[in-house]
Amino acid sequence: LAKTTQPISMDSYEGQEVNITCSHNNIATNDYITWYQQFPSQGPRFIIQGYKTKVTNEVASLFIPADRKSSTLSLPRVSLSDTAVYYCLVRPMDTGRRALTFGSGTRLQVQP
Amino acid sequence: SAVISQKPSRDICQRGTSLTIQCQVDSQVTMMFWYRQQPGQSLTLIATANQGSEATYESGFVIDKFPISRPNLTFSTLTVSNMSPEDSSIYLCSVSGVSETQYFGPGTRLLVL
């Protein structure tokens, strides 16, 4: 499985856009990039997943360059409730039968 | 998405005792997993719960310490045996189904004194 590297922590203020970049230099051709969010005292929650270019949903956008060696999770106009740990994971397409492997994640602190 | 419940949500236990954590899903799922998250740390996979057969354990985790059952497609239990303070963690149940997206339960917060 490809190893991921992301910043340990980030700080932001309410209303700002936050971009968290993850590097995955050894990503394989059949790997997806997946992001999870974890609030204190809760289990991780799936946010977004993509293979290439850009994916957007109601929560975030995911930008993946052509070489797919990195990805950027973009959170528009963050609020205090976006304070959480964000995990970048790389998973094979056939991964339904294999558990996700979590790295250290990025601890995002949003201040007023 | 699957709705996952865990019981108990938290517990305080004495060393040397055992605790069984239950995980219930609202729909049939292909895979069920158990993770541990120590304070301030990321998630570590303990094992994959296999229906009708022995669980598949990750390196560093053994069946005698963490026996797991999965009697059907919606239910699993994890037992933390002969507990010590080092077992104080959050234990998380996770499932994946046809969609292959992995969903997590709310976790069981365990404190061993």
Side-chain angles (χ1 to χ4, degrees):
Chain A
L1 293 174
K3 179 180 169 59
T4 60
T5 302
Q6 53 185 123
I8 294 174
S9 64
M10 295 182 68
D11 291 311
S12 183
Y13 292 94
E14 284 191 292
Q16 290 189 332
E17 178 184 77
V18 171
N19 296 308
I20 306 174
T21 297
C22 176
S23 68
H24 25 79
N25 292 319
N26 297 321
I27 191 169
T29 303
N30 66 337
D31 285 343
Y32 280 110
I33 299 149
T34 303
W35 287 79
Y36 279 75
Q37 173 191 55
Q38 186 177 26
F39 297 115
S41 301
Q42 294 186 27
R45 180 177 77 116
F46 171 82
I47 301 177
I48 197 167
Q49 175 174 286
Y51 183 78
K52 60 181 179 180
T53 62
K54 177 183 175 182
V55 180
T56 297
N57 61 23
E58 65 279 3
V59 177
S61 294
L62 178 60
F63 298 92
I64 306 168
D67 67 4
R68 303 199 329 120
K69 293 184 183 300
S70 67
S71 60
T72 299
L73 176 73
S74 181
L75 305 172
R77 298 178 299 281
V78 295
S79 64
L80 295 176
S81 63
D82 292 314
T83 293
V85 178
Y86 293 83
Y87 294 97
C88 166
L89 302 99
V90 170
R91 45 168 283 188
M93 288 182 184
D94 65 346
T95 193
R97 296 189 174 275
R98 277 184 280 176
L100 293 171
T101 299
F102 284 77
S104 301
T106 297
R107 190 172 299 273
L108 173 65
Q109 179 69 50
V110 180
Q111 300 182 17
Chain B
S1 64
V3 177
I4 306 166
S5 60
Q6 287 186 231
K7 290 181 182 180
S9 59
R10 59 179 61 230
D11 208 342
I12 301 174
C13 301
Q14 296 299 317
R15 69 172 67 210
T17 63
S18 298
L19 175 71
T20 295
I21 302 167
Q22 298 180 2
C23 175
Q24 180 74 54
V25 192
D26 68 341
S27 59
Q28 292 186 347
V29 292
T30 306
M31 306 299 293
M32 296 183 80
F33 310 102
W34 287 97
Y35 287 81
R36 180 175 75 181
Q37 187 171 30
Q38 296 180 303
Q41 303 297 312
S42 184
L43 286 77
T44 300
L45 179 66
I46 297 172
T48 300
N50 300 309
Q51 188 208 355
S53 64
E54 192 172 286
T56 304
Y57 290 85
E58 298 298 304
S59 175
F61 298 96
V62 295
I63 188 172
D64 290 345
K65 176 67 175 177
F66 298 101
I68 289 170
S69 78
R70 188 180 174 190
N72 56 51
L73 293 175
T74 64
F75 185 79
S76 177
T77 66
L78 167 75
T79 299
V80 186
S81 303
N82 188 25
M83 289 184 284
S84 67
E86 292 71 33
D87 294 319
S88 298
S89 288
I90 299 172
Y91 291 86
L92 293 144
C93 172
S94 178
V95 306
S96 67
V98 176
S99 72
E100 299 184 352
T101 299
Q102 197 168 323
Y103 298 99
F104 288 81
T108 295
R109 187 179 296 271
L110 172 62
L111 176 62
V112 183
L113 302 178

